Amino acid sequence: MALILHAGKTNKNAFKTLIAAEYSGVKVELAPDFEMGVSNKTPQFIKMNPIGKVPVLETPDGPIFESNAIARYVTRLKTDNPLYGSSLIDYAHIEQWIDFASLEIDANILFWFRPRIGRAPYLPPAEEAAISALKRALGALNLHLASNTYLVGHSLTLADIVMTINLFFGFTQLMTKSFTSEFPHVERYFWTLVNQPNFKKILGEVKQTESIPPVQSAKKPAQPKESGKPKHKDEPKKEAKKEPAKPKDEAGMEEEEAPKPKPKNPLDLLPPSKMILDEWKRLYSNTKTNFREVAIKGFWDMYDPEGYSLWFCDYKYNDENTVSFVTLNKVGGFLQRMDLARKYAFGKMLVIGSEPPFKVKGLWLFRGQEIPQFVIDECYDMELYEWKKVDISDEAQKERVNQMIEDQEPFEGEALLDAKCFK
């Protein structure tokens, strides 16, 4: 009997087993015509896994559920499989990293992802906690990979397969380039592995997500205003007869307006600005010397006070910033959640002080004359800051802008703990 894996073709937990099988020379076939929500509800499937979850591996000796257990089983079918290392300590370290990949990486990615797609209640503090925990885990992984090509030893193991597939879900669904760039060794590790032939055979071409899924609105579709009573089947016909006939092109416009919750961004409807935001971001990124003379001067040459506005922000609860890494994670989380405004904004966030409590201050450039409403609505951090529009006719305020752009230290008489840029 062949090994049959019951799961959909895009199930990321099935990928662990399929890739392990490729490396181990074990034949595993996907169950034909598997349909999630149908196939896993049948009596035959429930006998294999009483809670109906996938994947499940059907073997000559009985079924196995739980994706890591399945991947382990397939790996052990090959005697002395290098995917399980060559010593007892290798085996222990492989199991250690499999647990880490599941409990620290995968779990926190799902805690972040599920509420955004409506699979769990969306609670901003819970999301911040999940992102903070994920960054902590990625930081630990990044540190390990700074001096290691693989998780265990000098060749690929099952731990690398499980870790890469859990990262795969994050890279393709949530973790944008601006998020993962904080972890360069994780990036190098991930892209190296997903481009190995056995990974590529299962995953195909992998592309990193460019945006975080928006929080699904809980609003219900608008109800017709005429009456709360249920309508008889023939009522719409009566309504149609009563209404005067419309010219064809007018009716066509009405049909097009239905899918038009877009110009989703009112900022796209503003008059064109002489300031090209991407040109400023490139100038900022590429200026390595003479920053004042090149980047700061270039900024004011480009700046369009009619098309853009500058804002200072000050964190309201600095007395709570008593632990440095928690404060840095707080700012990092804010910048991550601002990703939805990347096309319309540039920002600098400074964490100030050599000892706690640390102060958090920022400078933001926004398209338009006000802070965009969609940012206020979607990014809950906004209400944690006091916002003040910059008066560029005031030389003192203008100089403060300069100092924040160039990360001047000391800043307002204090050392900088860190400076982060949103661009």
Side-chain angles (χ1 to χ4, degrees), residues 375-418:
V375 174
I376 296 169
D377 292 341
E378 293 286 339
C379 186
Y380 72 87
D381 306 72
M382 301 296 287
E383 65 186 29
L384 304 178
Y385 291 82
E386 295 283 358
W387 293 87
K388 179 185 175 185
K389 195 171 187 179
V390 177
D391 178 2
I392 62 170
S393 66
D394 182 333
E395 286 301 322
Q397 291 190 43
K398 196 170 176 181
E399 174 57 23
R400 190 170 189 255
V401 170
N402 297 342
Q403 292 176 10
M404 296 184 88
I405 292 176
E406 71 172 334
D407 307 333
Q408 180 170 302
E409 190 174 13
F411 179 74
E412 297 180 343
E414 296 186 79
L416 290 182
L417 176 66
D418 196 13

Side-chain angles (χ1 to χ4, degrees), residues 83-256:
L83 290 185
Y84 248 121
S86 57
S87 66
L88 187 59
I89 192 65
D90 281 353
Y91 168 77
H93 284 155
I94 289 164
E95 291 296 324
Q96 161 194 290
W97 283 110
I98 288 174
D99 285 352
F100 183 91
S102 302
L103 300 173
E104 302 295 338
I105 302 294
D106 195 43
N108 286 309
I109 287 172
L110 290 175
F111 288 150
W112 181 9
F113 181 72
R114 285 170 60 82
R116 284 195 160 259
I117 61 166
R119 295 285 182 87
Y122 179 75
L123 302 169
E127 179 176 82
E128 183 170 355
I131 293 171
S132 179
L134 177 60
K135 283 194 166 188
R136 182 169 176 250
L138 290 171
L141 178 61
N142 194 65
L143 184 63
H144 179 74
L145 292 172
S147 54
N148 295 278
T149 303
Y150 300 101
L151 293 176
V152 182
H154 300 291
S155 61
L156 183 132
T157 66
L158 183 60
D160 296 300
I161 294 173
V162 174
M163 179 69 78
T164 301
I165 293 305
N166 289 346
L167 288 170
F168 166 81
F169 188 76
F171 270 78
T172 57
Q173 300 296 325
L174 279 169
M175 302 190 311
T176 59
K177 175 64 179 173
S178 63
F179 183 93
T180 59
S181 61
E182 293 183 39
F183 312 102
H185 302 297
V186 174
E187 287 187 318
R188 180 263 306 161
Y189 169 82
F190 175 76
W191 292 113
T192 299
L193 290 188
V194 296
N195 283 293
Q196 297 305 303
N198 285 334
F199 279 83
K200 211 163 187 178
K201 182 176 179 180
I202 303 302
L203 302 179
E205 289 293 333
V206 177
K207 291 186 178 179
Q208 188 165 10
T209 183
E210 295 182 355
S211 61
I212 303 166
V215 178
Q216 287 197 358
S217 172
K219 291 178 182 176
K220 295 180 181 178
Q223 298 297 317
K225 293 182 180 178
E226 298 93 300
S227 168
K229 297 177 184 177
K231 293 186 177 182
H232 296 295
K233 286 184 181 177
D234 61 341
E235 277 189 14
K237 292 181 184 176
K238 289 180 184 177
E239 295 273 350
K241 286 178 184 175
K242 284 180 185 177
E243 284 189 11
K246 293 180 181 178
K248 238 180 181 181
D249 56 347
E250 190 183 338
M253 279 185 65
E254 272 201 352
E255 285 180 19
E256 286 183 4

Side-chain angles (χ1 to χ4, degrees), residues 265-267 340 370-379 382:
N265 223 306
L267 299 184
L340 76 169
E370 300 297 333
I371 298 173
Q373 189 60 46
F374 76 94
V375 174
I376 296 169
D377 292 341
E378 293 286 339
C379 186
M382 301 296 287

